[in-house]
Amino acid sequence: MTPFRDTYWNIPHWAEILLYVVQGLGVAILIGKLYLRTRLWLKGQGKLSFDQPGKRIGRVLRFAVAQVRIAREQYSGIMHLSVFFAFVMLFIGTALATVDYDIGVLLFDVKLLQGDFYLIYELVLDFFTVAGIVGLSLALLRRATFRPDRLTYSFGFAVMLWLLLIEVLSGLLLESFRLAALQPPWQTWSFAGYAVSRGLLALGIGPRSLETAHLATWIFHSSLTAFIYAVFLDLPLKHIIYSPLNIFFSSFREAGALAPLDLEDETIETFGVGQITDLTPLQLLNGDACTECGRCQAACPAYMAGTPLNPKQIILDIQTGLNRYTPQLRSGQVGDVPLTREIISPEALWACTTCQACVFECPVLIGHVDSIVDMRRYLVLMEGDVPELLATAMTQAERAGDPWGNPRGSRMDWAEGLNVPLMSEKKKADVLYWVGCAGAYDPESQKTARAMIKIFEAAGIDYAVLGDEERCNCEWARRAGNEYLYQEATHSNIAVFDRYEFKTIVTHCPHCFNTFKNEYPQFGSSYDVEHHSTYIARLLREGYLKPAKRLERAITFHDSCYLGRYNSLYDDPRGALKAIEGVRLIEMSRSRETGLCCGGGGAQVWFETHQEPPVNEIRLEEAMATGAGTVAAACPFCTIMLSSAAQSKGVTEEVAVRDIALIVAEALD
Ligand code: SF4
Ligand code: SF4
């Protein structure tokens, strides 16, 4: 006898019709709710992007289907992938059975689910049924018992997980009743249903009772499916639809480039995000797409430091705003839907270091930093609400050209005693060395700048600096929301660059590097820009630099966020250190992509948020845990923050914080 699927066995015709009516209703409710929600997202500024569809679909396959970011963690990876693929396969299996019967058999007299194909079909579906039960049990176990701080176990999550578990279990029971009643010769291929059916028979349940139980379970299972469709978007289940949409529409902009504001457009009344409708449709979708996995929260240095900032909450607050103001948004009262200050506190916004750890961790590609900076823009540009010390730094950068407010004529003091060539005299050089404000005025970073001169000289490089013509590029002010100051500094610096001829800009500051490389093209000026770690590593590799001295030193390297996560530069600074004989490089527990911020980015270096314990001290402890006596950095902000942590912890004797240029220059002696 050829094995076959006896679809709708024991199901009366009226029940079959009821199935279509009830499930059709469930799907109609789901589509209606999705339509209404989409209209809310579209109340935002601008449009959703559909460009490069192939690339967007590729990202959906990578992040939503293969779930590469979720799989980074073993437990949640196994759990989530099991549940995801179980439901995908069970959905396909059910759809196939329905199509096979209602279209194949009834309309064309062709049956697909028979023979060997049917046996494989049963085997695969039973495998995924078990996978679904295991995955959902793991999820419930973790949320309800050993839940990490980053996860919540809300009423919605509990309802979702139990509904799904009951759905899979009732499907299994349905199959088991059928197998117990019919006992077809091929029943062992449905191994899970077969095992349960043996148990039912062992209980002595008779054929009529099996049929009755089968019909009752079928009606329950079908109705539950319809109910799940109807409440799909009201439960965390919604991420199954919203997350792939978010991944599809997420931006292709470089990680290190903020979206510029059009300050020339006089029709724009609001800069930044104050009202919920000031967000873009994608930012509104972000709020709905969040899976509440809390990975961003666990990676956030500001959250670790006990500040009011929790990136997960920022994103969920967007969803709260959409829910709270749904009636106003639907009726067009879009001027009365405040988000910043009303729902999201300025204290939380000011605590962000823009380190992008949240963005890197988010499995559904949510862009927390863009939204945070947009809300800061509103506070700064529309309300003039800036933390006091930060406001001082901005005023000084505007007036004096550097955030410390030093006299312009003192910008070359760091080079006293060195014969550093100026662009204004040479007009032309292979390398324009951008010293930056820290290099010019911060005592520790001045040593880095002097070390760079030693390196240029040792390698015989044709270089020059801008001297007093250099002014702060104010990338920190941009991240703090002051786009006016940033754009003004940008136009001024581009005008200076345009005066001279050079091939490459080299800078030892990752923030300057990032803005020249990724943001200046927004203003029509592209340059060949290299961070000093890349430049030095190449000079060493190509033999222009030959370290003569062996340094017997254990060094741990701290990744700057603006070098690593922003620009994927991890190997060059390490390569430069490894080129020195005797250097032993030890990695910290969090390094490279998962490296912890020093706490200085996003303008944090210019003002104080209450932190307990401070981020820089957390990071220094991680560095000291390696046992290395030297912490190497490749960023003036990191050097400042980690040196200050060493001082406040009173460990300057035990650990030295040094820029990589200083270490390489020392080895040249
Ligand atoms: S960018 Fe860094 S500090 Fe800001 S929210 Fe994300 S993880 Fe936290
Ligand atoms: S924003 Fe992303 S990482 Fe954070 S909780 Fe939501 S889905 Fe998870």
Side-chain angles (χ1 to χ4, degrees), residues 296 299-302 309 311 351-359 368-369 372:
C296 54
C300 176
L309 174 60
C352 178
T353 69
T354 65
C355 72
Q356 294 260 13
C358 49
V359 178
H368 312 65
V369 175
I372 289 172

Side-chain angles (χ1 to χ4, degrees), residues 402-523:
D402 85 89
W404 284 285
N406 292 286
R408 275 189 196 255
S410 62
R411 203 154 182 121
M412 282 300 287
D413 288 1
W414 64 272
E416 203 182 321
L418 301 175
N419 190 16
V420 179
L422 290 170
M423 265 297 187
S424 54
E425 291 161 3
K426 285 184 77 168
K427 310 289 181 206
K428 189 176 165 185
D430 286 348
V431 169
L432 188 163
Y433 173 44
W434 177 269
V435 179
C437 300
Y441 299 115
D442 171 64
E444 201 54 41
S445 304
Q446 284 178 334
K447 291 183 200 161
T448 306
R450 292 175 74 90
M452 283 303 295
I453 299 305
K454 186 173 171 184
I455 288 168
F456 286 132
E457 298 287 350
I461 304 300
D462 172 29
Y463 75 99
V465 300
L466 289 169
D468 295 346
E469 288 182 287
E470 198 181 284
R471 68 165 284 189
C472 181
N473 56 49
C474 295
E475 71 79 38
W476 52 274
R478 183 176 224 201
R479 268 120 197 116
N482 194 339
E483 184 76 1
Y484 274 114
L485 180 55
Y486 173 75
Q487 291 199 16
E488 201 227 327
T490 300
H491 294 308
S492 162
N493 279 326
I494 288 173
V496 173
F497 288 155
D498 287 350
R499 278 182 216 147
Y500 304 115
E501 227 180 287
F502 53 87
K503 292 182 186 148
T504 306
I505 299 174
V506 172
T507 172
H508 64 260
C509 175
H511 298 259
C512 302
F513 165 72
N514 178 66
T515 201
F516 294 153
K517 177 171 176 278
N518 296 320
E519 294 187 322
Y520 274 31
Q522 295 173 343
F523 302 92

Side-chain angles (χ1 to χ4, degrees), residues 522-537:
Q522 295 173 343
F523 302 92
S525 294
S526 293
Y527 304 100
D528 180 29
V529 192
E530 281 195 324
H531 183 253
H532 77 330
S533 56
T534 306
Y535 193 72
I536 294 171

Side-chain angles (χ1 to χ4, degrees), residues 335-355:
D336 191 20
V337 286
L339 177 71
T340 308
R341 201 179 293 287
E342 185 79 14
I343 297 179
I344 298 178
S345 78
E347 291 72 32
L349 297 172
W350 287 121
C352 178
T353 69
T354 65
C355 72

